[in-house]
């Protein structure tokens, strides 16, 4: 096709309706003028983490049902309000804010624009006195990540050769610490169950202190922190630091360690599939996708969506390459806990739960 | 080398610094160029050395016309230059400075050994010794100058330009320099010797070219009478001998007791100095630059903390006070380097005229500047001190040095002052202004201020000092009455005690002193070109009609 | 200076810095004495019990078993060492002699070690000395490159605030070109070229147009962040194959890499780190002893003097600004190919500014810059270790540690630094 | 001596007559006229134009449609040009609409909203820009705006939610507290510089990082934490800087504060003794010292005032725009402020204008992103090119072939090294 022009009938504008290629999803009845939009937090859509997952959900919705979408990126906290506003301006009818940092901006916009629907990932709204704030036109999309992280912790404790595992975060913020809390609990549980003494480096749940690299940018810091864990004998590490986790992966790769990824299935989304034991998945994309479907069909509700092991909103990724290496009884025990959590007979608690 | 300059013209914007200058230097000749400040001497030399490209004219070396794109070309053509402001890197060693640009190499790195050898051998051929490994910044200026000469000669210069080389030397050091110049000339090196001091020219030059306002206004022989040279150089006759009454010392003004100041290395740079200046008296401090005068006045001002000793201002100890309080106590201060210490170049004349008294009425009230007062003050001071400017709002940095200096003096002399400390009050100022500034300083004395003048120019010291203190190596060598002979001061500047200096000076004169004597003998009317009320006439501008002027003043 | 947008030239800045009368010569000894007191306090606070130290890695030829060091005794020993350094400094200061940098370094390292003992004594975790050192080197690498770039540029009289931009441009170019070529080594060629491009802009504006160098530097940083992020969000997002992961292999040097302790740290590295050694050594020798270095320094100290001996000042500045750019650009490769990572937005995360600090702290000399970078890397390592050892301090405060250490170092020891005299001043004949 | 020879005259006789004229150098009033004549506005426009062109090139070459059309360039070159024009023009049109006036908006309020957004965003930039500019003129390079904004924000938030006070009093207290917070933080750098000579560039960079982690910690403390993680309690309404316009406009009194402070800084620097001293120290510290001005004290004072201004930028965010404290309250205000101050030549008027330009670019950038998907980073590229071009007028003249106003018969200043930047002219 090199050098030959496309025939003039179909031009670039054809793309906007490019829903044609969506094959898997069944068609839905989209409300007239529906437009689904998204605002990232300051991390931006390339964060290899929740902004990116959210955007994938949005893109998938566009592809599946041919709905109009728009996504804007924020570069700082000051951008949230104006970005939401420019989306309102742009004719969006359903606007999703990614990340708890957008909560105040979403609350404000929702109160000012009662006819527009909003979604908020990772946070519910609250009043200044900590009491929950429920607005008719805001749907919180929450994830009980600790549940899945618990399973990952259990798995890590069961799989470690050295009896030491580690975790670290990018910055000490709740959405990061919740992973670390669950992970820690999983290890404690394993030790209790098996009289083992697997130690966790990098997070002290009781004191809520631990290892952080200081930002979500400098991947080299992930490498050094992980190398520090390896030097202490750790052989499995769960970085909760977006792209900085890739730095951890390189250290694990050269140090013969194993990685537990977070947010997405690291086996698929990173280049480090061969050392990825499993991933703590937070199905933000799916939640976004589903909430858009509801809104598009006119079925918006302000009821919070809580991703749990039960509804598959959070989960442990498949073992992939490690399938053969994970002992059957460990795998079974993990499934067992999963079931108990789903049944409600076992709960994972974290003070960082949204 | 035979050098010929033909019709050299150099302009800076609309300003013509050199105007069709012709000049011939014969091999082995010492060719003096005489001209007052700003005449264009340095500019011409910079053209010759390839630093400036002339707008017009030709440089002919040994009959071949040359164009110099940069100093590299000039050096290649055998021209060496010792700049008025030394071109030495202070943090480099002597050897590094000398070989810079033509480094001897060994195994890819600079051959330190042969660099040192070059220094030693060149210095020895001129009859002195320099430590090649000394840091240039640590050396006295006189030695730095020798480094410059060694640097030029080590580049096989056949023509050596010396731009005002004697400004920083004691008379005795000047003698040594003259010896070196003669040695060089004898070995065939041509020398271009820039100065505005007539006595030096007479002592050493083979021929003289006089420049005024960028033009060659005449050539002369060393035998030409000083008066003639002077009027050629200045274009008129000027008196620099300040006509002043004898001092009438009153109460103590400034008292310095056992002052010791150490530098960063712990070396005492002011070493146990004590003296008094009474009100109504001028004490002039003579000495070669870098012998502690700077630190002495800085300690008086309070920007340097002395290790020992005390300072009293009008009988009141000021040791614990900061600069601000000392100024408020009646100290007026004229720093030696006006552009770095005296004025803020980017500030207007208006602002600079109140730089050290913004905090008090009438300059400000309630923290707000009184703009009307500032402008009125500026207009008055500019008129009073004859500051030449297009506007009082002009940035001081764009004024000429002399006018900048007038701004500093105008500021300091318009305050209530009991003590005036002035360093190099007329450095780089044109002849006419020197006269004016000196008169103003004497006027302050007569109003009852205690005045301390620090100057490296013996002429100035002799012109102003009621008493003269000489510093050497941080110590006060002695205090002698005004009007003593230059040779005595010169010897004291080398550290010799006054009595010894007086004895030796009587025994044999310096070359310059001899030249003076010779000139006296030659002077057409036999009138010695010296003294008037104990003040010495500045060589540069000879008094012809002193009588006329005295008449005027009567 | 009204003319130059009123940014202070560094010359003015340093002049101001040097002003408050000659600082007391006893400052360094006093600071060291304070440090000794702090160390003593730490020794007092050190719990009973031993610190487990490991100085070999699993892959070493000679395995040295983990051994225990008595905590309190070691802490006191370190205190004595710091005290000795302080005392020696006092003696030197009284004799008004220069206090050599190593005295300060020894005291600083001893104090840091005492902190290490304080946090690790009586704990089961080991102190992996090799790992600490290797991590220090790792963190110091980009800082060393950045600081060396600063040294070259500033020694020739051009203030290089654009180090951050040069590192980032280098990181970007290394990743993209290595991805396209499929070889990490090609990235090592592209990175310095990108740095040179940034250096060329710096030189163009500050030499040719005499724009204030601080302005140009600050703005170039913004420009590079803007450009790389823009390209990342457009071209690289659409063509992920342009930004894939390529890694420089580790090249252990036979024999040397088997030396206990230092072997694995220094000689089990990739090419970029070996290049760093070579550049540090070469610059340290060449700047002070070669023709190039002499002229470089002459131009930075007294350009007019250099001009009068036939050195083309502005050409010298141009060349060395480009060279400095190349060094920093090469250092940028650390973030991508040398770490085996793809490019990420703003992934240099302010290291260029830390490098600038290292250069000043290192007094404009290559070895000084290395020492400063190592101090920074070590304090960063220490805080990582503290977090790992679960020291009960909020994580946010641990994260501050390297920055606090830098401020203390600058305020305590490096105050009276002298920048090249002509730095920041354009040369016009 | 620089007096030109008077033709045939007797030379410079000392005289007490009113000063004769020296024919060199521009005076201040002259240079003002000169600046106007040299059409600095034209130059500024030229600089912006060049930056816009470079930005357009960047947009065009990275645009997928353009790349697609380039593949078959020889078959149908028109497509390429159309696609290129489309990519660049739509981005810039959106930028303009987002910054000034949006004629496509649904209602009049929305149409003029962009301009108010520009002013809102410009507010902290102007305040922090004044901070950097004041420090510059006092001879200090304050890279620490970021940290000072944060400290200002922390104090403003705390005073804002912790106390119950009458409206005017409360906001005054919170604003002053923010200024004090910024002043103290910057004062650390000032004191260290004055006492130990520690380079303010290093110290302020480090303080930025420390402040960043400090605020991260503080929003998690029980004192600050709200129901929403990472966000502090909201400040009371009594502590809010009141809105200037009704909702949906966000413009608040912070903007008025910024303008008033710009005037205040002008007065301080040009008309007060303190400003005089600060400028003297900045321009020539040695001469200032000789004139009895304490350089150390002025260093501390300058940093403190600069910190106070930056702290007010934090207050403007916390008490005005946002109403609460978040960990990234400073955004990139502290760094943008450096460029703003550089562009504004450290003068208050220039800083206000530069702040407005940057505010416009960032407000417009958001709409550009929303409408055309062009990454916000383009704004950074535009900003840096504008500053570079404005700092190098000869370059702009050469490229745009503008006449050189220097070429009139006025003597150039002797080699002071900075002459070319001189004509940067009034800016923006
Ligand atoms: N680079 C320059 N730009 C503009 N004017 C200059 C420059 N250099 C010198 N001038 C002017 O040219 C004139 C001649 O200066 P020059 O330095 O040659 O004088 P000089 O004879 O060496 O004086 P001095 O005895 O003081 O050294 C002076 O008026 C000076 O102000
Ligand atoms: N020499 C000095 N060096 C540095 N700062 C000074 C100096 N003198 C005064 N200041 C500072 O400037 C402020 C005003 O000082 P000053 O006493 O000069 O006031 P002022 O300008 O005289 O005002 P007013 O005329 O109303 O008394 C003082 O608070 C002090 O901080
Ligand atoms: Mg928490
Ligand atoms: Mg001269």
């Amino acid at each position: 096709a090199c050098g030959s022009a496309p025939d003039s009938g179909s031009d670039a504008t054809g793309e906007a309706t490019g829903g044609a290629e969506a094959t898997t999803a069944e068609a839905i009845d989209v409300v007239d003028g529906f437009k689904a939009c998204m605002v990232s937090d300051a991390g931006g859509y390339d964060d290899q983490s929740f902004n990116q997952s959210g955007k994938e959900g949005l893109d998938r919705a566009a592809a599946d049902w041919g709905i109009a979408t728009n996504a804007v990126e924020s570069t700082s906290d000051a951008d949230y309000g104006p970005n939401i506003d420019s989306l309102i301006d742009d004719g969006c009818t359903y606007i999703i804010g990614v990340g708890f940092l957008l909560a105040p901006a979403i609350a404000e916009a929702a109160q000012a624009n009662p006819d527009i629907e909003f979604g908020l990932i990772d946070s519910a709204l609250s009043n200044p006195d900590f009491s929950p704030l429920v607005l008719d036109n805001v749907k919180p999309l929450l994830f009980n990540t600790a549940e899945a992280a618990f399973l990952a912790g259990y798995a890590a404790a069961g799989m470690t050769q050295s009896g030491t595992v580690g975790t670290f975060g990018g910055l000490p913020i709740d959405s990061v610490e919740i992973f670390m809390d669950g992970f820690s609990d999983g290890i404690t549980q394993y030790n209790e169950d098996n009289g083992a003494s697997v130690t966790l480096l990098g997070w002290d749940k009781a004191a809520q202190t631990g290892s952080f690299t200081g930002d979500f940018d400098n991947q080299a810091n992930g490498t050094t922190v992980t190398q520090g864990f390896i030097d202490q004998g750790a052989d499995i590490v769960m970085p909760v630091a977006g792209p900085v986790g890739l730095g951890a992966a390189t250290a694990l790769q050269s140090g013969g360690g194993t990685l537990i990824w977070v947010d997405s299935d690291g086996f698929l989304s990173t280049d480090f599939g061969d050392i990825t034991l499993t991933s703590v998945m937070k199905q933000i994309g799916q939640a976004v996708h589903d909430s858009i479907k509801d809104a598009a069909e006119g079925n918006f509700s302000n009821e919070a969506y809580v991703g749990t092991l039960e509804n598959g909103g959070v989960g442990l990724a498949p073992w992939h390459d490690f399938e053969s290496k994970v002992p059957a009884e460990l795998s079974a025990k993990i499934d067992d806990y999963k079931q108990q959590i789903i049944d409600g007979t076992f709960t994972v608690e974290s003070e960082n739960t949204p | 080398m035979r050098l010929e300059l033909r019709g050299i013209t150099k302009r800076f914007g609309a300003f013509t610094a050199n105007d069709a200058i012709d000049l011939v230097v014969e091999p082995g000749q010492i060719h003096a160029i005489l001209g007052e400040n700003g005449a264009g001497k340095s500019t011409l030399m910079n053209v010759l050395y390839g630093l400036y490209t002339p707008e017009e004219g030709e440089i002919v070396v040994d009959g071949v016309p040359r164009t110099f794109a940069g100093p590299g070309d000039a050096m290649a053509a055998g021209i060496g230059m010792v700049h008025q402001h030394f071109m030495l890197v202070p943090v480099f060693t002597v050897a590094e400075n000398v070989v810079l640009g033509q480094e001897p190499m060994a195994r890819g790195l600079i051959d330190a050994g042969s660099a040192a050898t070059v220094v030693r051998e060149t210095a020895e051929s001129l009859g002195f010794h320099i430590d090649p490994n000394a840091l240039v910044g640590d050396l006295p200026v006189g030695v730095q100058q020798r480094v410059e000469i060694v640097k030029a000669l080590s580049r096989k210069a056949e023509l050596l330009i010396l731009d005002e080389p004697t400004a920083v030397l004691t008379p005795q050091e000047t003698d040594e320099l003259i010896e070196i110049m003669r040695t060089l000339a004898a070995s065939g090196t041509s020398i271009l010797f820039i100065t505005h001091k007539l006595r030096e020219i007479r002592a050493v030059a083979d021929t003289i070219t006089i420049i005024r306002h960028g033009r060659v206004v005449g050539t002369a022989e060393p035998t030409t009478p000083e008066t003639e040279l002077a009027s050629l150089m200045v274009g008129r006759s000027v008196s620099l001998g300040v006509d002043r009454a004898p001092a009438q010392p009153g109460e103590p003004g400034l008292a310095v007791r056992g002052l010791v100041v150490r530098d960063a290395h712990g070396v005492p740079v002011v070493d146990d100095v004590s003296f008094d200046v009474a009100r109504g008296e001028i004490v002039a401090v003579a000495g070669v630059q870098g012998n502690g005068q700077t630190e002495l006045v800085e300690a008086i001002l309070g920007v340097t903390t002395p290790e020992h000793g005390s300072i009293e201002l009008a009988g009141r100890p000021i040791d614990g006070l900061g600069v601000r309080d000392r100024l408020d106590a009646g100290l007026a201060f004229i720093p030696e380097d006006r552009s770095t210490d005296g004025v803020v170049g980017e500030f207007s004349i208006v602002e600079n005229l109140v730089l050290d008294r913004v905090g008090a009425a009438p300059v400000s009230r309630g923290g707000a500047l009184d703009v009307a007062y500032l402008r009125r003050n500026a207009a008055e001071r500019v008129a009073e001190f004859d500051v030449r400017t297009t506007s009082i709002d002009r940035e001081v940095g764009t004024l000429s040095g002399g006018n900048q200096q007038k701004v500093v003096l105008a500021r300091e002399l318009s305050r209530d002052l009991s003590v005036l400390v002035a360093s190099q009050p007329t450095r780089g100022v044109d002849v006419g202004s020197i006269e004016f500034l000196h008169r103003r300083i004497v006027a302050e004395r007569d109003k009852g201020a205690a005045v301390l003048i620090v100057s490296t120019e013996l002429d100035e010291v002799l012109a102003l000092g009621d008493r003269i203190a000489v510093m050497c190596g941080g110590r006060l060598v002695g205090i002698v009455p005004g009007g003593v002979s230059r040779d005595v001061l010169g010897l004291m500047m080398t550290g010799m005690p006054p009595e010894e200096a007086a004895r030796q000076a009587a025994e044999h004169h310096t070359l310059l002193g001899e030249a003076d004597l010779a000139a006296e003998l030659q002077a057409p009317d036999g009138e010695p070109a010296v003294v008037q009320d104990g003040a010495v006439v500045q060589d540069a501008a000879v008094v012809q009609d002193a009588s006329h002027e005295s008449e005027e003043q009567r | 200076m009204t003319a130059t947008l009123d940014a202070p030239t560094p010359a003015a800045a340093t002049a101001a810095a040097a002003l408050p009368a000659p600082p007391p010569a006893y400052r360094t000894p006093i600071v060291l004495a304070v440090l000794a007191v702090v160390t003593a306090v730490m020794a007092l606070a050190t719990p009973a019990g031993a610190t487990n130290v490991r100085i070999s890695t699993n892959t070493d030829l000679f395995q040295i078993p983990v051994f225990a060091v008595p905590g309190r005794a070691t802490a006191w020993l370190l205190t004595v060492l710091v005290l000795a350094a302080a005392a020696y400094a006092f003696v030197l200061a009284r004799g008004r002699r220069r206090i050599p940098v190593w005295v300060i370094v020894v005291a600083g390292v001893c104090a840091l070690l005492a902190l290490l003992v304080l946090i690790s004594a009586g704990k089961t975790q080991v102190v992996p000395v090799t790992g600490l050192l290797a991590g220090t080197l790792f963190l110091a690498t980009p800082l060393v490159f950045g600081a060396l770039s600063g040294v070259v540029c500033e020694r020739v009289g051009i203030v290089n605030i654009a180090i951050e931009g040069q590192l980032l441009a280098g990181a970007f170019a290394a990743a993209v070109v290595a991805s396209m070529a499929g070889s990490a080594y090609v990235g090592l060629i592209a990175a310095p070229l990108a740095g040179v491009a940034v250096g060329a802009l710096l030189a163009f504006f500050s030499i040719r147009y005499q724009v204030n160098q601080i302005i140009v530097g600050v703005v170039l940083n913004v420009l590079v962040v803007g450009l790389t992020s823009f390209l990342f969000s457009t071209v690289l997002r659409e063509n992920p194959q342009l930004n894939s992961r390529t890694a420089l292999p580790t090249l252990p040097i036979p024999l040397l890499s088997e030396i206990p302790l230092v072997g694995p740290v220094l000689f089990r590295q990739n090419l970029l780190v070996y290049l760093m050694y070579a550049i540090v050594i070469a610059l340290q020798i060449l700047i002070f002893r070669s023709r190039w270095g002499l002229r470089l320094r002459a131009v930075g100290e007294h350009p007019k003097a250099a001009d009068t001996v036939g050195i083309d000042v502005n050409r010298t500045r141009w060349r060395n600004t480009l060279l400095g750019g190349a060094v920093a650009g090469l250092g940028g490769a650390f973030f991508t190919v040398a770490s085996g990572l793809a490019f990420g937005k703003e992934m240099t995360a302010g290291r260029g500014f830390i490098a600038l600090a290292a250069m000043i702290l290192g007094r404009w000399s290559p070895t000084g810059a290395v020492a400063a970078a190592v101090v920074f890397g070590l304090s960063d390592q220490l805080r990582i270790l503290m977090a790992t050892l679960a020291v009960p301090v909020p994580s946010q405060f641990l994260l501050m540690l390297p920055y606090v250490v830098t401020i203390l170092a600058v305020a305590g020891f490096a105050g009276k630094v002298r920048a090249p005299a002509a730095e920041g001043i354009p040369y016009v004949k | 001596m620089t007096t030109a020879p008077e033709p045939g005259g007797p030379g410079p006789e000392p005289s007490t007559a009113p000063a004769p004229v020296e024919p060199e150098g521009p005076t201040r009033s002259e240079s003002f006229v000169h600046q106007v004549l040299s059409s600095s506005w034209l130059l500024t426009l030229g600089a912006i134009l060049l930056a816009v062109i470079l930005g357009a090139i960047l947009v065009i070459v990275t645009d997928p449609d353009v790349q697609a059309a380039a593949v078959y360039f020889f078959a149908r070159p028109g497509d390429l040009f159309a696609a290129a024009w489309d990519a660049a023009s739509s981005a810039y049109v959106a930028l303009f609409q987002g910054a000034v006036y949006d004629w496509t908006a649904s209602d009049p309020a929305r149409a003029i909203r962009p301009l108010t957004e520009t002013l809102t965003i410009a507010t902290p930039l102007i305040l922090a820009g004044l901070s950097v500019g004041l420090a510059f003129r006092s001879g200090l390079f304050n890279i620490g705006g970021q940290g000072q904004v944060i400290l200002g924000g922390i104090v403003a938030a705390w005073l804002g939610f912790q106390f119950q006070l009458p409206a005017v009093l409360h906001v005054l207290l919170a604003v002053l507290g923010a200024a004090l917070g910024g002043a103290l933080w910057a004062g650390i750098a000032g004191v260290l510089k004055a006492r130990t000579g520690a380079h303010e560039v290093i110290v302020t960079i480090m303080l930025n990082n420390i402040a960043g982690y400090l605020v991260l910690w503080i929003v998690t403390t029980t004192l600050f934490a709200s129901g929403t993680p990472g966000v502090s309690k909201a400040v009371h309404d009594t502590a809010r800087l009141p809105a200037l316009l009704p909702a949906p406009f966000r413009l608040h009194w912070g903007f008025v504060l910024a303008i008033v402070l710009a005037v205040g800084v002008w007065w301080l620097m040009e008309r007060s003794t303190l400003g005089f001293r600060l400028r003297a120290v900045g321009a020539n510290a040695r001469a200032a010292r000789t004139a009895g001005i304490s350089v150390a004290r002025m260093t501390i004072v300058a940093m403190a005032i600069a910190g106070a201004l930056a702290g007010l930028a934090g207050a403007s965010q916390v008490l005005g725009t946002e109403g609460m404290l978040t960990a990234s309250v400073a955004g990139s205000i502290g760094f943008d402020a450096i460029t703003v101050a550089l562009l504004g030549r450290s003068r208050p008027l220039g800083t206000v204008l530069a702040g407005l330009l940057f505010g416009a670019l960032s407000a417009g950038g958001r709409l550009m992103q929303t409408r055309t998907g062009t990454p916000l980073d383009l704004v950074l590229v535009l900003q840096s090119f504008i500053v570079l071009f404005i700092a190098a007028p000869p370059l702009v003249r050469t490229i745009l072939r503008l006449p050189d106003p220097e070429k009139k018969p006025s003597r150039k200043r002797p080699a002071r090294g900075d002459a070319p930047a001189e004509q940067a002219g009034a800016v923006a």
Side-chain angles (χ1 to χ4, degrees), chain D residues 371-387:
Chain D
R371 296 240 168 114
T372 69
T374 311
L376 266 183
D377 307 301
L378 179 66
V379 169
L380 293 182
V381 177
L382 289 180
Q383 285 174 351
S384 35
F385 277 132
I386 290 174
V387 178

Side-chain angles (χ1 to χ4, degrees), chain B residues 326-356:
Chain B
R326 293 180 190 210
L327 296 178
D328 290 345
L331 176 68
F333 185 81
I334 294 163
E336 69 177 39
D337 187 339
R338 62 178 160 261
S339 57
T340 60
D341 295 342
V343 295
V344 177
E346 295 153 45
F347 276 21
S348 65
I349 295 175
V350 175
E351 290 171 316
N352 270 293
L353 281 171
V354 296
L355 195 62
D356 60 358

Side-chain angles (χ1 to χ4, degrees), chain A residues 70 73 77 79 85 89 100, chain D residues 110 229 326 328 366 369-370:
Chain A
N70 197 352
E73 233 168 27
D77 289 0
D79 286 349
D85 201 72
D89 221 18
F100 62 89
Chain D
R110 288 218 159 270
T326 67
S328 59
R366 286 169 184 160
Q369 189 193 201
T370 316

Side-chain angles (χ1 to χ4, degrees), chain D residues 2 12 15 20 25 57 59 68 108 148 150 154 159 176 207 228 260 275 283 352 355 369 379 385 399:
Chain D
T2 44
S15 84
I57 294 173
V59 170
Q148 296 146 21
I150 289 174
I154 291 177
L159 293 171
L176 289 179
L207 286 175
T228 315
V260 168
V352 169
Q369 189 193 201
V379 169
F385 277 132
I399 299 176

Side-chain angles (χ1 to χ4, degrees), chain C residues 387-399:
Chain C
T388 312
L389 297 182
V391 176
V393 175
S395 321
Q396 293 90 343
F397 289 93
L398 287 182
L399 286 168

